[in-house]
Amino acid sequence: MGRIAYVNGRFERHARAAVHIEDRGYQMADAVYEVWALFGGKLSDPEGHFARLERSLGELKIPMPMGRRALTHVLKEAVRQNRVRDGLVYLQIGRGVAPRDHAFPNPPVSPSMVITVKAIDRVAAEAKAAAGVSVITTPENRWGRCDIKTVGLLPNAMAKQAAREKGAAEAWFVDELGFVTEGASSNAWIVDAEGTLRTRDTNANILRGVTRNTLLDVIRENGLKVDERPFTPADAEAAQEAFITGAGAMVLPVIAVDGKPVGAGKVGPVATRLRRLYIERAIATAI
Ligand code: PLP
């Protein structure tokens, strides 16, 4: 008998089991997981794993798809169908399937749930334990590689959701020194009090926005002053204008940060002009 997986209410052949392409776990890492060891077909440390699962889900505001008793039943059924005595049970619960958008689906959708079971060779495991293993060290960088456009978007999704809940369109991340890095799905800019365009340099740990880069060309060609230098939220408040850039946002004026108006609290002439110039450039160079 081949392996069996549980996917959203159904037991299926493992080789054919699949989730939807817009499952947020797949597209944004918007999901949590647990792994239980199996001893003689029984789940180890049940309390610890269930408690952590509930905590992880609670932190992400994903509801438990079913109660502990029902979940235990489904996990045990997956173990039974796979006829595994010694092994591991993997459970993944995600926010569900929704059209791609960083913020959480509204209204919420049903969480998705996947279970797989694999056998482990206890004899081999004991032999390995008897011999011991070695380790290496590596810099702690989880997740410090915002320059890579990965689908590990859970922090971005949570930030965007926080923005939505406050009636804002975007969230700007602020680093430990108090400087804005970038938006959850855009790069951040101001026109500072001196009239200089400011956006963070890309040596810092941010995504190298393609729109940002093209706009820098447009800005320089039009003889505007630009400085790739970070700014704080207070700088934004004192600025004449602010805006964000991205393939979706293009050049989108920002009129308030944390509820405080930027400049006059109105869309300004520089962002308006840059939006027009950027769109003209984008249309002219599109293939
Ligand atoms: N920064 C982040 C975190 C993003 O997700 C995006 C776009 O999705 C951007 C910046 C802007 O990049 P681009 O102009 O290439 O769309």
Side-chain angles (χ1 to χ4, degrees):
M1 200 188 77
R3 289 176 69 194
I4 301 290
Y6 172 94
V7 184
N8 296 326
R10 290 171 47 180
F11 287 98
E12 300 174 19
R13 273 170 49 210
H14 183 274
R16 297 192 54 82
V19 294
H20 191 277
I21 54 167
E22 285 196 315
D23 186 288
R24 288 177 59 97
Y26 168 71
Q27 279 196 331
M28 296 193 175
D30 191 0
V32 306
Y33 75 100
E34 273 300 331
V35 177
W36 286 260
L38 287 170
F39 290 91
K42 291 185 169 174
L43 301 168
S44 70
D45 278 333
E47 173 57 33
H49 288 287
F50 280 120
R52 187 172 60 190
L53 174 68
E54 285 162 1
R55 182 179 180 281
S56 300
L57 288 170
E59 291 295 306
L60 299 189
K61 301 193 176 83
I62 298 174
M64 272 278 270
M66 58 186 76
R68 273 197 197 192
R69 271 173 71 98
L71 182 55
T72 305
H73 177 78
V74 178
L75 290 166
K76 282 180 173 290
E77 180 59 18
V79 173
R80 193 189 67 76
Q81 292 205 20
N82 282 281
R83 298 183 190 181
V84 171
R85 308 287 301 159
D86 294 317
L88 294 170
V89 182
Y90 174 85
L91 166 70
Q92 179 167 327
I93 298 176
R95 195 173 309 279
V97 176
R100 189 178 179 281
D101 184 10
H102 282 57
F104 304 168
N106 186 18
V109 293
S110 313
S112 29
M113 183 164 130
V114 165
I115 301 169
T116 55
V117 184
K118 75 173 180 189
I120 56 173
D121 180 345
R122 282 263 176 252
V123 176
E126 288 310 314
K128 188 171 163 186
V133 296
S134 57
V135 301
I136 62 156
T137 60
T138 188
E140 173 59 79
N141 68 347
R142 296 171 292 167
W143 174 240
R145 292 300 308 274
C146 305
D147 56 315
I148 306 171
K149 198 165 170 67
T150 85
V151 297
L153 286 173
L154 182 55
N156 309 55
M158 291 175 80
K160 189 76 95 177
Q161 177 64 16
R164 288 273 158 92
E165 287 174 9
K166 292 196 167 122
E170 179 60 303
W172 280 356
F173 291 110
V174 178
D175 69 14
E176 64 281 0
L177 297 175
F179 291 106
V180 172
T181 53
E182 63 180 322
S185 64
S186 60
N187 290 109
W189 300 69
I190 57 170
V191 182
D192 72 15
E194 285 74 50
T196 303
L197 284 147
R198 297 251 299 268
T199 191
R200 189 163 185 131
D201 67 88
T202 51
N203 298 324
N205 187 20
I206 64 167
L207 192 72
R208 290 148 171 74
V210 174
T211 315
R212 173 191 177 283
N213 218 30
T214 300
L215 192 67
L216 280 171
D217 290 344
V218 169
I219 287 167
R220 289 182 180 124
E221 286 163 21
N222 282 274
L224 298 170
K225 274 190 294 171
V226 61
D227 194 358
E228 292 183 64
R229 190 156 59 87
F231 58 86
T232 64
D235 293 331
E237 221 187 305
Q240 298 176 8
E241 298 182 38
F243 58 92
I244 54 176
T245 56
M250 298 188 280
V251 176
L252 189 62
V254 169
I255 56 171
V257 177
D258 287 333
K260 296 178 196 127
V262 174
K266 290 196 295 218
V267 173
V270 178
T272 303
R273 177 170 175 225
L274 289 178
R275 181 176 176 88
R276 181 176 54 76
L277 290 172
Y278 173 76
I279 292 173
E280 280 170 12
R281 167 66 59 96
I283 291 170
T285 57
I287 56 167

